[in-house]
Amino acid sequence: MGFIGKPMLLPILLVLFTSLEAPHVSESASDYSTLVYKGCSKETFTDPNGVYSQSLSALFGSLVSQSTKTKFYKATSGSGQSSITGLFQCRGDLTNSDCYNCVSRLPVLSDKLCGKTTAARVQLLGCYILYEVAGFSQISGMQMLYKTCGATNAAGRGFEERRDTAFSVMENGVVTGHGFYTTSYQAVYVMGQCEGDVGDSDCGECVKNAVQRAQVECGSSISGQVFLHKCFISYSYYPNGVPSRSSSTAASYSSSSSGQNPGKTAAIILGGAAGVAFLVILLLFARSLKKKHDGMIYVRQ
């Protein structure tokens, strides 16, 4: 049986998604290191003897060191009630060097953005890290964490058919690709990825669920991205071809409600692509991250 409806081995109970300012991306900044969103627990751990801090530091050290060798790693530090479990994952198209450069930024960002909270998740364009202390409740792999839909709608007929065809190819691709797939179809670029410990069949189900949410909530928007707890997808449509890197008309996004719980909002994020064109698209969308975002509230199960 798949993970749908079952407790997750490593859930992240994001009790509160605090407000954040999407950072401006400079010309010299690496697009994969751009902040997408953060999820910080309301609760902080009481740590008079420094036990939790030591466990968290050791966990971060282990995750960062492994990022030179692999794109997904899960570990536990400490023991008993003071143990902390966490993981990192890099986007499937990053090199080992880029993965390390991305992940190595996350411990400092997590401490800066969330402090010593009992659970946190920090998502960059190219990677994410999450951790939780022992005893946290678990959430479904299908739980929506974040989404965004492009502010521009496709003109004329045919876009949704192209997008849905690309989605269909991607749904199959993440299964045969063992958790990561990116492709394009008639100017629609798509990407899907599942968390590294999700089986192929469950990955296909998760991506299919994310696709359905994108279809319903983004409608004819020319770009969008949906983050579920165990997978995410993105898409973008370029009817006139992929813009050049120097284009001053990078696509912009507007925030929209995720429809899951009161107070959830969307972020500004990239669309998927393939090969060199994919990297160009990432930078363009990263440059459009300029709007403020409201909080996202999750409820314990």
Side-chain angles (χ1 to χ4, degrees), residues 16-34:
L16 175 67
F17 265 21
T18 55
S19 299
L20 63 89
E21 177 81 22
H24 171 71
V25 182
S26 66
E27 290 294 331
S28 61
S30 297
D31 60 298
Y32 58 73
S33 65
T34 300

mmCIF file of all heavy atoms in Angstrom, residues 16-34:
data_model
loop_
_atom_site.group_PDB
_atom_site.id
_atom_site.type_symbol
_atom_site.label_atom_id
_atom_site.label_comp_id
_atom_site.label_asym_id
_atom_site.label_seq_id
_atom_site.Cartn_x
_atom_site.Cartn_y
_atom_site.Cartn_z
ATOM 1 N N LEU A 16 3.278 26.716 11.473
ATOM 2 C CA LEU A 16 3.066 28.067 10.980
ATOM 3 C C LEU A 16 4.052 28.381 9.872
ATOM 4 O O LEU A 16 5.238 28.188 10.026
ATOM 5 C CB LEU A 16 3.260 29.080 12.115
ATOM 6 C CG LEU A 16 3.180 30.549 11.692
ATOM 7 C CD1 LEU A 16 1.770 30.883 11.240
ATOM 8 C CD2 LEU A 16 3.579 31.449 12.848
ATOM 9 N N PHE A 17 3.518 28.837 8.731
ATOM 10 C CA PHE A 17 4.364 29.379 7.672
ATOM 11 C C PHE A 17 4.338 30.877 7.849
ATOM 12 O O PHE A 17 3.361 31.532 7.544
ATOM 13 C CB PHE A 17 3.798 29.019 6.293
ATOM 14 C CG PHE A 17 4.400 27.794 5.704
ATOM 15 C CD1 PHE A 17 5.030 26.862 6.495
ATOM 16 C CD2 PHE A 17 4.324 27.578 4.332
ATOM 17 C CE1 PHE A 17 5.581 25.734 5.940
ATOM 18 C CE2 PHE A 17 4.862 26.447 3.767
ATOM 19 C CZ PHE A 17 5.493 25.524 4.580
ATOM 20 N N THR A 18 5.430 31.419 8.371
ATOM 21 C CA THR A 18 5.459 32.840 8.663
ATOM 22 C C THR A 18 5.623 33.642 7.385
ATOM 23 O O THR A 18 6.026 33.139 6.362
ATOM 24 C CB THR A 18 6.627 33.148 9.615
ATOM 25 O OG1 THR A 18 7.835 32.648 9.027
ATOM 26 C CG2 THR A 18 6.425 32.476 10.956
ATOM 27 N N SER A 19 5.304 34.936 7.484
ATOM 28 C CA SER A 19 5.431 35.813 6.321
ATOM 29 C C SER A 19 6.882 35.912 5.892
ATOM 30 O O SER A 19 7.788 35.860 6.709
ATOM 31 C CB SER A 19 4.912 37.206 6.659
ATOM 32 O OG SER A 19 3.550 37.144 7.011
ATOM 33 N N LEU A 20 7.101 36.053 4.587
ATOM 34 C CA LEU A 20 8.457 36.202 4.107
ATOM 35 C C LEU A 20 8.478 37.152 2.929
ATOM 36 O O LEU A 20 7.489 37.344 2.252
ATOM 37 C CB LEU A 20 9.072 34.865 3.714
ATOM 38 C CG LEU A 20 8.438 34.074 2.562
ATOM 39 C CD1 LEU A 20 9.067 34.485 1.233
ATOM 40 C CD2 LEU A 20 8.620 32.601 2.787
ATOM 41 N N GLU A 21 9.637 37.741 2.724
ATOM 42 C CA GLU A 21 9.855 38.627 1.584
ATOM 43 C C GLU A 21 10.669 37.859 0.575
ATOM 44 O O GLU A 21 11.762 37.379 0.876
ATOM 45 C CB GLU A 21 10.626 39.876 2.031
ATOM 46 C CG GLU A 21 10.954 40.829 0.896
ATOM 47 C CD GLU A 21 9.777 41.710 0.537
ATOM 48 O OE1 GLU A 21 8.893 41.874 1.385
ATOM 49 O OE2 GLU A 21 9.753 42.217 -0.591
ATOM 50 N N ALA A 22 10.159 37.687 -0.633
ATOM 51 C CA ALA A 22 10.923 36.997 -1.657
ATOM 52 C C ALA A 22 12.137 37.838 -2.012
ATOM 53 O O ALA A 22 12.012 39.018 -2.299
ATOM 54 C CB ALA A 22 10.069 36.782 -2.894
ATOM 55 N N PRO A 23 13.326 37.230 -1.972
ATOM 56 C CA PRO A 23 14.547 38.009 -2.157
ATOM 57 C C PRO A 23 14.769 38.434 -3.591
ATOM 58 O O PRO A 23 14.344 37.779 -4.526
ATOM 59 C CB PRO A 23 15.641 37.028 -1.706
ATOM 60 C CG PRO A 23 15.063 35.687 -2.023
ATOM 61 C CD PRO A 23 13.592 35.807 -1.758
ATOM 62 N N HIS A 24 15.456 39.558 -3.755
ATOM 63 C CA HIS A 24 15.870 39.995 -5.086
ATOM 64 C C HIS A 24 17.080 39.185 -5.512
ATOM 65 O O HIS A 24 17.969 38.909 -4.717
ATOM 66 C CB HIS A 24 16.238 41.475 -5.057
ATOM 67 C CG HIS A 24 16.864 41.947 -6.333
ATOM 68 N ND1 HIS A 24 16.141 42.086 -7.492
ATOM 69 C CD2 HIS A 24 18.143 42.277 -6.631
ATOM 70 C CE1 HIS A 24 16.946 42.501 -8.457
ATOM 71 N NE2 HIS A 24 18.167 42.621 -7.958
ATOM 72 N N VAL A 25 17.122 38.772 -6.747
ATOM 73 C CA VAL A 25 18.222 37.972 -7.255
ATOM 74 C C VAL A 25 19.169 38.853 -8.041
ATOM 75 O O VAL A 25 18.777 39.470 -9.029
ATOM 76 C CB VAL A 25 17.703 36.842 -8.163
ATOM 77 C CG1 VAL A 25 18.859 35.978 -8.638
ATOM 78 C CG2 VAL A 25 16.690 35.998 -7.415
ATOM 79 N N SER A 26 20.411 38.921 -7.619
ATOM 80 C CA SER A 26 21.392 39.738 -8.321
ATOM 81 C C SER A 26 21.932 38.973 -9.522
ATOM 82 O O SER A 26 21.744 37.764 -9.639
ATOM 83 C CB SER A 26 22.554 40.091 -7.371
ATOM 84 O OG SER A 26 23.276 38.931 -7.023
ATOM 85 N N GLU A 27 22.630 39.662 -10.389
ATOM 86 C CA GLU A 27 23.171 39.041 -11.581
ATOM 87 C C GLU A 27 24.138 37.914 -11.227
ATOM 88 O O GLU A 27 24.282 36.950 -11.952
ATOM 89 C CB GLU A 27 23.890 40.099 -12.438
ATOM 90 C CG GLU A 27 22.958 41.101 -13.083
ATOM 91 C CD GLU A 27 22.050 40.486 -14.115
ATOM 92 O OE1 GLU A 27 22.446 39.491 -14.733
ATOM 93 O OE2 GLU A 27 20.946 40.992 -14.314
ATOM 94 N N SER A 28 24.866 38.086 -10.088
ATOM 95 C CA SER A 28 25.888 37.113 -9.738
ATOM 96 C C SER A 28 25.355 35.960 -8.905
ATOM 97 O O SER A 28 26.047 34.990 -8.657
ATOM 98 C CB SER A 28 27.018 37.817 -8.958
ATOM 99 O OG SER A 28 26.510 38.386 -7.769
ATOM 100 N N ALA A 29 24.125 36.057 -8.441
ATOM 101 C CA ALA A 29 23.574 35.016 -7.573
ATOM 102 C C ALA A 29 23.253 33.760 -8.369
ATOM 103 O O ALA A 29 22.810 33.820 -9.501
ATOM 104 C CB ALA A 29 22.315 35.532 -6.877
ATOM 105 N N SER A 30 23.497 32.612 -7.749
ATOM 106 C CA SER A 30 23.142 31.339 -8.374
ATOM 107 C C SER A 30 21.649 31.128 -8.219
ATOM 108 O O SER A 30 21.119 31.210 -7.122
ATOM 109 C CB SER A 30 23.911 30.198 -7.701
ATOM 110 O OG SER A 30 25.302 30.354 -7.876
ATOM 111 N N ASP A 31 20.968 30.859 -9.297
ATOM 112 C CA ASP A 31 19.523 30.777 -9.229
ATOM 113 C C ASP A 31 19.044 29.665 -8.306
ATOM 114 O O ASP A 31 18.015 29.794 -7.662
ATOM 115 C CB ASP A 31 18.943 30.585 -10.634
ATOM 116 C CG ASP A 31 19.453 29.321 -11.298
ATOM 117 O OD1 ASP A 31 20.668 29.226 -11.518
ATOM 118 O OD2 ASP A 31 18.630 28.435 -11.584
ATOM 119 N N TYR A 32 19.798 28.555 -8.223
ATOM 120 C CA TYR A 32 19.330 27.443 -7.399
ATOM 121 C C TYR A 32 19.372 27.757 -5.907
ATOM 122 O O TYR A 32 18.789 27.040 -5.103
ATOM 123 C CB TYR A 32 20.122 26.169 -7.693
ATOM 124 C CG TYR A 32 21.624 26.273 -7.493
ATOM 125 C CD1 TYR A 32 22.183 26.332 -6.222
ATOM 126 C CD2 TYR A 32 22.483 26.287 -8.582
ATOM 127 C CE1 TYR A 32 23.540 26.419 -6.032
ATOM 128 C CE2 TYR A 32 23.857 26.376 -8.411
ATOM 129 C CZ TYR A 32 24.384 26.444 -7.133
ATOM 130 O OH TYR A 32 25.744 26.531 -6.959
ATOM 131 N N SER A 33 20.063 28.821 -5.513
ATOM 132 C CA SER A 33 20.155 29.169 -4.096
ATOM 133 C C SER A 33 19.133 30.215 -3.675
ATOM 134 O O SER A 33 19.156 30.693 -2.551
ATOM 135 C CB SER A 33 21.565 29.677 -3.770
ATOM 136 O OG SER A 33 21.834 30.885 -4.446
ATOM 137 N N THR A 34 18.213 30.564 -4.553
ATOM 138 C CA THR A 34 17.181 31.552 -4.232
ATOM 139 C C THR A 34 16.120 30.946 -3.309
ATOM 140 O O THR A 34 15.636 29.845 -3.551
ATOM 141 C CB THR A 34 16.514 32.056 -5.519
ATOM 142 O OG1 THR A 34 17.501 32.664 -6.353
ATOM 143 C CG2 THR A 34 15.432 33.081 -5.198
#
